Amino acid sequence: MSVPLVAVPADVRSFENYTWHATPDTYLKAAIRVAGVVPVIVPALLPELDLGALLARVDGVLVTGSASNVHPERYGVPASTAHEPFDPERDRLTEALIRGAVEGGLPLLAICRGHQELNVAFGGSLATEIQELEGRMDHRALPHHDQRERFAVRHPVTVAPDGKLAAIVGAGELRVNSLHRQAIDRLADGLVAEASAPDGTVEAVSVTGATAFAFGMQWHPEYWAETDEPSRRIFEAFGAACRQRREAASSR
């Protein structure tokens, strides 16, 4: 059996007089080393892509985090400087990939910005600068030059008992990292909260009625997937779902 292919939407960046379509290598390494899949970076050129043909050839979708934010007009809120920076081409691509994955029964793992994109794709909304809201924690990244310190495990989340995530990492409490200033505000219909922070922030969701693995996580399991047990289990479960999809496709 061939190794599963996983679509990874690209961010759009300007560098050295070029426009780049790229993604952080932490996600790619976790996909290869822990999930056991081959990530395929998809350029954010949605009008020029045959998305149906792409989704027919891959066995899963991994939606990454990013420094940019979902444009607030996509969830009915006027844009402000507090919502910036934006990446509208990625917004369009990821919404199509998320919807296509769920509708087509492809395994889906959406992390950080991806978690927020999943909520918006299903009709939910986001809150920005949540550290300024009464009773909320400061979920932003630590101002540190060392990435290991920035991605260090910082706070607990409570995994819902008897939920889909609990079946993978166990119920109760686990500790996660935190590098975000936006979070789910109104949880979309069609999503179920699978884990939450002590301040009530929705930290993980699953897609109701999905026929395959379909999760969003606000934290970054990709960074510690090789050394942290819950993070490893998440990526291993995603990889297993992708292999199951590949096997089913090969038997047709």
Side-chain angles (χ1 to χ4, degrees), residues 37-210:
V37 302
V38 174
V40 178
I41 300 176
V42 181
L45 298 169
L46 184 60
E48 301 175 57
L49 297 176
D50 184 339
L51 201 67
L54 170 69
L55 291 172
R57 292 187 177 189
V58 300
D59 308 295
V61 174
L62 172 62
V63 188
T64 70
S66 177
S68 64
N69 293 317
V70 181
H71 200 288
E73 290 181 356
R74 301 188 79 83
Y75 50 91
V77 173
S80 72
T81 55
H83 296 96
E84 295 176 354
F86 302 132
D87 187 346
E89 297 305 318
R90 167 172 164 145
D91 288 346
R92 284 187 275 273
L93 174 62
T94 51
E95 181 170 351
L97 282 173
I98 287 168
R99 289 184 175 277
V102 174
E103 292 169 4
L106 285 168
L108 170 68
L109 177 56
I111 295 172
C112 193
R113 189 194 207 270
H115 167 80
Q116 296 168 13
E117 288 170 305
L118 174 60
N119 189 57
V120 172
F122 274 75
S125 66
L126 306 176
T128 194
E129 305 300 351
I130 58 171
Q131 70 279 355
E132 298 176 2
L133 301 178
E134 184 176 357
R136 301 296 282 273
M137 300 160 50
D138 190 342
H139 290 258
R140 293 175 297 178
L142 295 174
H144 204 288
H145 70 278
D146 186 336
Q147 282 290 81
R148 290 178 63 86
E149 292 297 328
R150 294 182 71 246
F151 281 84
V153 170
R154 290 176 52 196
H155 71 76
V157 299
T158 300
V159 178
D162 302 320
K164 294 180 180 179
L165 183 59
I168 297 171
V169 301
E173 188 174 284
L174 59 87
R175 294 187 64 80
V176 303
N177 45 28
S178 188
L179 296 94
H180 61 102
R181 59 188 178 86
Q182 292 194 319
I184 288 177
D185 184 12
R186 183 183 71 257
L187 183 65
D189 293 338
L191 299 184
V192 173
E194 294 281 349
S196 59
D199 64 354
T201 298
V202 176
E203 292 276 348
V205 299
S206 63
V207 179
T208 304

